[in-house]
Amino acid sequence: MLRFEENISLKPFNTFGVEAFTKFFYEVTDLEKLKLLFKSAPELPIRILGGGSNILFTKNFDGLTLLMATKGIKVLEEKNNKVRVEVQAGENWHEFVLWCLKQNYGGVENLALIPGSVGAAPLQNIGAYGVELSTVFYSCKVINLHTLEEEILDKKACEFDYRSSLFKTHQKGKYLICAVTFELQKKPHQPVLSYAGLKSRFENKNPTIQQVAEAVIEIRQSKLPDPKLLGNGGSFFKNPVVKESVYKALKLKFTKLPCYPSGKGQVKIPAAWLIDYLGYKGRQFGQAGVHQNQALVLVNLGEAKGSEILKLAENIQKEVKSYFGITLEMEVNIL
Ligand code: EPU
């Protein structure tokens, strides 16, 4: 019989640092034990937690919270310039990036310093500075929570999209991600420098992946708050994707409105610009606030409740909608 810890505070397990309690708590270090657990408590509502960096707890949970803490990085196969690496779900994302840099395996250097765990990364298809997880993703090992069987899902099956996958959409709650296999470059060349901040820095240069990672870390540290010092969940909203015609109409009124191409006659508008324009940047609302260097990041100024941060997010959504006619979709999972 597996023993659960009871009435545990989840404050140390979410980067917003908000208080919320779970009735039962179990740290998963062994998948066989995990399967036993599912069989012994089939009725118990469960919630799976990785690094806790993309969630906002707004209430207590009357079920079992599983903290994925399985570890291990293994090279599966090397062929030509490709190397396949399997990483257990509980590995820290940035630690994995550092491991790749040490081996000189290319592909994830632009994703340095993203908070969270490897197992959670496919859920929202983490992305930054011109690269998304889907670029380097090969497959993942999951437990189907309906059958308790292990399955392998390839890239196509995961239906990756901008900050989205099947784990977040129509198959939400069906799978538990146990391990992720990446396909990386053994002799990296041509790092992705499409993001303006990287392009200007490395103009006419051919940087190593280590230099790219260093630059990414520097850029992130200058804009994004360290969750250890100031509670936050990264970008709170997705950047809205609109038809070009909608953008052109808005641009007549808001002449400085930026945009990025997003394929098929669509453009992506930086949500940060919209929120910034409305004067939210750096403002405080009780214990919740909007970060002073990045308007897309909501922060916990100390003892904020999850509901307080959610209220601020909803107010921003309402104001953006009434001012620009644009719907902002939350990127952070509200629990
Ligand atoms: N901007 C403002 N005010 C601000 C910040 C930005 O007007 O306070 C405008 C500027 O025009 C700027 C543009 O927004 O050029 C884009 O800003 P930035 O490059 O900081 O990126 P972002 O679109 O706000 C996205 C990701 C980030 C990722 C960066 C870099 C989403 C939801 N967010 O942010 O991801 O690090 O690009 O690639 O796509 C995350 O998902 O948690 C995250 C931090």
Side-chain angles (χ1 to χ4, degrees), residues 177-206:
I177 299 173
C178 307
V180 183
T181 298
F182 298 92
E183 190 167 77
L184 305 164
Q185 295 166 8
K186 258 171 64 185
K187 288 197 182 64
H189 54 277
Q190 289 186 325
V192 178
L193 304 174
S194 54
Y195 182 80
L198 291 178
K199 204 189 257 174
S200 57
R201 192 176 295 225
F202 295 116
E203 197 87 72
N204 302 322
K205 294 195 183 104
N206 190 17

Side-chain angles (χ1 to χ4, degrees), residues 19-315:
E19 187 63 283
F21 286 84
T22 177
K23 185 145 189 217
F24 302 111
F25 183 82
Y26 184 74
E27 192 171 324
V28 180
T29 50
D30 179 325
L31 289 182
E32 290 314 309
K33 280 194 186 150
L34 178 64
K35 284 186 207 159
L36 270 179
L37 181 152
F38 286 139
K39 282 176 188 149
S40 67
E43 303 301 325
L44 205 56
I46 61 157
R47 194 177 264 174
I48 301 151
L49 207 57
S53 58
N54 205 43
I55 45 169
L56 179 65
F57 293 123
T58 58
K59 43 181 170 267
N60 295 336
F61 179 51
D62 198 25
L64 168 65
T65 300
L66 297 171
L67 179 71
M68 291 305 287
T70 48
K71 301 279 181 205
I73 303 181
K74 194 163 116 193
V75 173
L76 296 183
E77 196 183 324
E78 295 184 54
K79 219 183 204 173
N80 305 324
N81 191 29
K82 298 268 161 68
V83 54
R84 278 189 205 145
V85 183
E86 186 190 59
V87 189
Q88 298 304 311
E91 287 285 349
N92 172 274
W93 175 265
H94 182 62
E95 296 289 325
F96 166 58
V97 173
L98 293 179
W99 180 88
C100 293
L101 294 172
K102 211 165 164 195
Q103 315 300 315
N104 202 34
Y105 291 162
V108 288
E109 54 282 358
N110 296 43
L111 305 178
L113 215 62
I114 294 184
S117 65
V118 168
L123 259 90
Q124 78 264 24
N125 184 21
I126 58 167
Y129 310 104
V131 174
E132 286 186 343
L133 173 107
S134 59
T135 333
V136 286
F137 179 96
Y138 184 75
S139 67
C140 63
K141 187 163 89 181
V142 297
I143 296 178
N144 180 325
L145 296 172
H146 298 162
T147 62
L148 296 189
E149 297 292 329
E150 279 183 17
E151 293 178 24
I152 302 288
L153 302 181
D154 65 11
K155 182 145 88 176
K156 190 155 179 268
C158 292
E159 297 176 25
F160 290 121
D161 204 343
Y162 167 57
R163 292 296 191 278
S164 177
S165 70
L166 94 162
F167 306 109
K168 247 189 123 171
T169 52
H170 64 103
Q171 301 290 12
K172 195 173 173 177
K174 181 174 171 186
Y175 298 111
L176 178 140
I177 299 173
C178 307
V180 183
T181 298
F182 298 92
E183 190 167 77
L184 305 164
Q185 295 166 8
K186 258 171 64 185
K187 288 197 182 64
H189 54 277
Q190 289 186 325
V192 178
L193 304 174
S194 54
Y195 182 80
L198 291 178
K199 204 189 257 174
S200 57
R201 192 176 295 225
F202 295 116
E203 197 87 72
N204 302 322
K205 294 195 183 104
N206 190 17
T208 62
I209 55 170
Q210 291 76 9
Q211 287 168 327
V212 173
E214 252 171 56
V216 164
I217 289 171
E218 213 181 293
I219 296 171
R220 282 192 83 92
Q221 284 174 337
S222 71
K223 289 186 185 177
L224 299 167
D226 178 350
K228 287 194 197 96
L229 305 175
L230 187 63
N232 75 91
S235 299
F236 202 94
F237 303 99
K238 287 188 190 182
N239 286 329
V241 176
V242 302
K243 283 196 188 125
E244 261 173 43
S245 55
V246 171
Y247 172 74
K248 277 185 191 148
L250 277 169
K251 180 97 173 150
L252 292 176
K253 196 164 165 205
F254 307 101
T255 49
K256 291 196 173 137
L257 182 68
C259 79
Y260 311 102
S262 189
K264 291 182 256 156
Q266 296 188 310
V267 295
K268 208 183 257 178
I269 295 179
W273 192 93
L274 305 174
I275 300 167
D276 201 345
Y277 190 90
L278 294 173
Y280 274 97
K281 195 162 161 178
R283 280 180 69 191
Q284 306 189 354
F285 302 83
Q287 291 290 302
V290 177
H291 189 50
Q292 61 201 12
N293 298 337
Q294 225 303 0
L296 198 48
V297 178
L298 303 192
V299 294
N300 176 2
L301 296 164
E303 293 297 322
K305 288 187 180 138
S307 55
E308 211 175 341
I309 295 169
L310 179 61
K311 186 88 206 132
L312 170 58
E314 286 168 347
N315 286 342

Side-chain angles (χ1 to χ4, degrees), residues 316-327:
I316 290 174
Q317 271 179 324
K318 269 186 217 143
E319 208 171 322
V320 167
K321 180 76 188 173
S322 73
Y323 209 84
F324 299 101
I326 289 181
T327 305

